[in-house]
Structure formats: structure tokens, C-alpha cells
Amino acid sequence: MPKQSHIHGYGAALRIANFDTDQVMPKQFLRGIDKSGLKDGLFYDLRFDEAGNPKPEFFLNQAAYTLTNILIAGSNYGCGSSREHAVWGMQQYGFKAVIASSFAEIFYSNAMGNGLLLVTLPEDQVQALMQEADDLGGPVAMEIDIERCIVRTPRYEFTFSLSARHHRMFLEGLDVIGLTLTLKPQIDAFAQQHWDEQPWMKDVARKTVDRLAKG
């Protein structure tokens, strides 16, 4: 993951509560064996009609929203089935963060583990940011200071919280595996102590296979 201390960009409102992962990334876009092409499926049923033509009324299909990279969403965003493709699709499209009053637990874990920042704010503050964007008739300029946990717009400054683990992951560019590997000296020391105290347990599976092979 890249190191991230600040996100600068433009936020737009999606005023739909309980927006589930099948709406974020419909099931027909989960057939591939890699991550390619997922941006085409993002919000597909909102972006396109049955013939595959862009719906002009949806904000992401409008020229004014071309630079949008922060989504201001309704509560319980990302509910429904667990699919990492929803996170990957948002990132491929260009989204760097989602702001909402609440997120589904599995989506939250998938997003934060992949470097898509999720910012949780009280509902009244989320509504204020949505209204600011609506008043502009386009996306609102935003800065998310990850280091200090502050969201800034021309009109507002709100603080949010992150767990110590997620805060470190974003600032240092660590995924879950990378974060675990920062503890490698302690892990190695624990393993060595374990083998020293119980040497008969080391490589027991391999030794058993070797013994069986010899008949």
C-alpha cells in the first residue's frame, strides 16, 4: 500500500442508506480471475440503463463531477455480502475515501485493508457535507488529513477517529501482512523459545511423512 497522510480531492453525495455491495459492484462483474475491468461495473445499475447507455441524471455521468474521488455516502454503506471486488472497483474508478455515518463491518475491514480510507462522522456532519456539495451543484473541494484525523472543506472542519492499527497502516503504507511483518523479530524469538523448550515438536509433520515413506 502507498503511504497516505493526506487526501486532496472533491467529494460528492450519494444519498442512499444501506447501499449494499451488490449495488457497488453487481455480481456479473465478479466472474474474472483478476482485478481488471472492475471500474466498469462500479455503481452499474445507477450509471447505466438496461441497454448499457449512461444515465445522464446520475452525478458521475456529468462533466462537473469528473474529478470526484471522495464519496459522501448514506449510513450503513457497504452492507450485504462480502466482496473485495467492491473495494477494488471503487479504487480503480479513482475513489480515495468514503465518508459516512456508519459502514458494514466486513466492508470496513476490506476497504481499510486495501487502502481505501473510510471516515466515520456523525450523521448531522455527513448531512452538512452533502448539503455543501448540493449547494455548489457539483463536488466540494475536500482535504482529509489522515495524520491529524481531520476533514476540511471550505465551510467545515470535522474530526474523526481511526484505530491505532489503521492509522499506522495508512501513514506507513502497510497492509495487514506488512503490519504483521513489523513484528517479525518478536515472532522469531517466540518460535525459537518454543522449539528450545519442546524440540520434539519441531518439523513433526515432515518427520512423520519421511518415516512413512521409508515404510
Side-chain angles (χ1 to χ4, degrees), residues 30-88:
L30 310 182
R31 299 170 183 166
I33 60 174
D34 58 22
K35 301 179 183 179
S36 63
L38 292 175
K39 69 176 182 179
D40 297 330
L42 185 71
F43 306 152
Y44 188 86
D45 293 334
L46 291 178
R47 291 168 59 199
F48 302 100
D49 61 23
E50 293 181 356
N53 299 310
K55 295 180 180 179
E57 67 274 14
F58 186 59
F59 68 94
L60 289 181
N61 292 332
Q62 299 171 14
Y65 290 87
T66 301
L67 298 178
T68 300
N69 62 353
I70 299 171
L71 186 68
I72 311 168
S75 60
N76 197 31
Y77 184 85
C79 58
S81 63
S82 171
R83 57 184 69 174
E84 229 168 346
H85 299 71
V87 174
W88 299 334

Side-chain angles (χ1 to χ4, degrees), residues 31 50 53 73 79 84 92 104 119 126 135 138 145 187 207 212:
R31 299 170 183 166
E50 293 181 356
N53 299 310
C79 58
E84 229 168 346
Q92 287 182 18
V119 174
V126 174
D135 290 346
D145 184 336
I187 295 171
K207 292 175 182 177
L212 292 172

